[in-house]
Amino acid sequence: MSGDVHLLIRIASGDETALVEFHRQYVNLVFSMALHVLHDHATAEEVTQDVFLTLWRRAALYDPARGSVKSWLLTIARRRAIDYHRRQAHLPLRMDEIAVGQQPNVQLILPDLDLRDAVAALPGDQQECVTMVYFGGLTHTEVAERLHVPLGTVKSRIRLALRRLRQTITVFSEDT
Amino acid sequence: MKHTPANHEEWENLIAIAALEGLEPAESAALERHLATCADCRQALADYRHVAAQLDQMIPLVTAPAHLEQRLLGQIRRPARRSPLRWLAAVATVVALLLGGYSWNLRGELQRQTSALAELQRSLAGPNARLIPLSATSNVAARGQFTWTPGQAVASLVVEGLPLLEPGHVYQLWLVRKDGTIDPAGTFSQAAEGEIRATVRAPVGWSNYANVGISAEPASAPKQPSSTGIVQGDF
Ligand SMILES: [Zn+2]
């Protein structure tokens, strides 16, 4: 059993030192996602706080069958940040900055160059749609409205993008 | 279920958007129904979710402000919180681990109850789970929680501190519909450590109910409560 899961069990039973240990290990990850979505330092801190408080209260909601603790935390952080953004609509949500895979000079959480290249190789309009939905928290209908393109166009852009990335990931994992 | 190619492509559109969490609610519901019948599409959704999880990891890693740790500790230490949820959470974690294929021998009792508790965990873990606190109707220390999820058949019940039963009696769980119909929803006897965990099914959907309660009844299981409830909660 992984150390993360041990920590979560201790957290679920109310062990503060386990929470501190877990926080030290993952606070940068959670904060990075919050900042990525929100582009607002103060709100990103609030989201981070909120994520760890939720974890303290409901560590039991982690299900190892569904993936690693890390990806679980990233999902929670992304969703929570999007919630905050929706509640405080004045926050800037700058699609150009939150596009994934376009920052060659920064350290990524997962330095998977193949995937980064694959994302960068996607047509710009596909990247844009994926980013607006996934990190911007918009539905595809909202994306179509904002971009002034037909709904079917948004749908097929997203499908084509994910299909391409799925192929990359499959090829990559078969190679290794 | 097989689709014509055109249809399947449309499902794939929805699946890709679903993986990015961007469907409209009505589309989500339609997709859910389709997924229940189509293994290909379930696999596609799993694949696309995997892709999405990778996107999560392609964001820039930054350093969080150091003061966040003190802030968190300050917050969790504020009230002395000891809710029934706390130990319920611990139980559910163990269940999650069992489901995850880990070997975990915390308590033999829990292992015996794996399948019931697995159901409990599933109903707990959903983002749509509704929690109903059960509080004592008289001066006893009993309390508990009833957890249900819209669209799910199984709800879970956790109660602690029920008073001792008289011989020949059982606890009876009642579900009271909005129209006043009372459905008996299971009996249980005294539990070790005064804790009761049970999974509950109802004859009609959960949204039809107004109240849930537990009373002590003769073991012959009457059709209507014959005594005042010990704990109860409102939907
Ligand atoms: Zn299908």
Side-chain angles (χ1 to χ4, degrees), chain A residues 5 9 11-12 16 24 28 32-33 45 56 60 78-79 107 110 116 134 139-141 159 163 166, chain B residues 12-13 21-22 24 27 47 52 56-59 61-62 64 67 69 77 81 86 89 93 97 104:
Chain A
V5 175
I9 292 171
I11 292 170
E16 261 181 34
R24 285 182 187 159
N28 289 344
S32 297
M33 177 58 83
E45 285 186 23
W56 174 243
R78 180 172 39 75
R79 289 178 183 164
Q107 187 193 353
L110 175 78
R116 183 152 91 184
Y134 198 52
T139 67
H140 63 114
T141 321
R159 170 172 46 81
R163 221 186 234 181
R166 175 168 69 164
Chain B
E12 198 186 340
N13 280 341
E21 305 175 5
E24 303 290 347
E27 293 170 323
D47 288 352
D56 272 334
Q57 309 211 13
M58 293 188 65
I59 63 167
L61 186 61
V62 296
H67 63 84
E69 184 174 311
R77 283 171 185 164
R81 227 170 18 81
R86 171 58 61 195
T93 301
L97 294 172
W104 182 253

Side-chain angles (χ1 to χ4, degrees), chain A residues 2 12-13 17-18 28-29 52 55 59 92 98 111-112 134 136 140 160 162:
Chain A
S2 82
S13 67
T17 60
N28 289 344
L29 188 82
F52 283 96
L55 187 89
I98 67 176
D112 177 344
Y134 198 52
H140 63 114
L160 291 171
L162 290 205

Side-chain angles (χ1 to χ4, degrees), chain B residues 3 8 34 38 41:
Chain B
H3 309 278
H8 221 165
H34 175 70
C38 181
C41 285

Side-chain angles (χ1 to χ4, degrees), chain A:
Chain A
M1 192 184 303
S2 82
D4 285 343
V5 175
H6 266 302
L7 276 181
L8 284 172
I9 292 171
R10 286 168 54 203
I11 292 170
S13 67
D15 181 342
E16 261 181 34
T17 60
L19 181 69
V20 169
E21 198 177 321
F22 195 83
H23 187 263
R24 285 182 187 159
Q25 201 167 327
Y26 287 114
V27 68
N28 289 344
L29 188 82
V30 171
F31 183 74
S32 297
M33 177 58 83
L35 193 63
H36 184 66
V37 169
L38 293 163
H39 282 268
D40 179 278
H41 225 270
T43 318
E45 285 186 23
E46 262 181 68
V47 167
T48 305
Q49 174 85 350
D50 194 336
V51 167
F52 283 96
L53 276 177
T54 304
L55 187 89
W56 174 243
R57 291 175 185 145
R58 308 190 76 182
L61 296 187
Y62 172 63
D63 177 358
R66 285 193 173 174
S68 70
V69 169
K70 186 173 164 185
S71 60
W72 177 65
L73 277 177
L74 284 166
T75 301
I76 294 176
R78 180 172 39 75
R79 289 178 183 164
R80 194 58 57 91
I82 288 170
D83 285 348
Y84 270 67
H85 173 70
R86 285 207 185 112
R87 262 183 269 152
Q88 310 176 8
H90 63 274
L91 285 177
L93 189 65
R94 295 177 52 183
M95 295 304 162
D96 55 331
E97 286 183 17
I98 67 176
V100 290
Q102 291 183 327
Q103 302 102 331
N105 298 319
V106 297
Q107 187 193 353
L108 304 182
I109 290 171
L110 175 78
D112 177 344
L113 293 179
D114 285 21
L115 188 63
R116 183 152 91 184
D117 288 349
V119 173
L122 291 175
D125 51 11
Q126 291 182 17
Q127 285 187 37
E128 181 181 49
C129 288
V130 166
T131 300
M132 287 174 84
V133 170
Y134 198 52
F135 294 107
L138 300 178
T139 67
H140 63 114
T141 321
E142 291 165 333
V143 171
E145 279 164 12
R146 294 203 187 185
L147 296 178
H148 306 290
V149 297
L151 194 52
T153 307
V154 172
K155 283 181 175 173
S156 58
R157 281 178 190 170
I158 290 173
R159 170 172 46 81
L160 291 171
L162 290 205
R163 221 186 234 181
R164 173 69 58 80
L165 296 179
R166 175 168 69 164
Q167 283 161 0
T168 307
I169 289 171
T170 310
V171 169
F172 184 70
S173 52
E174 278 169 3
D175 282 354
T176 51

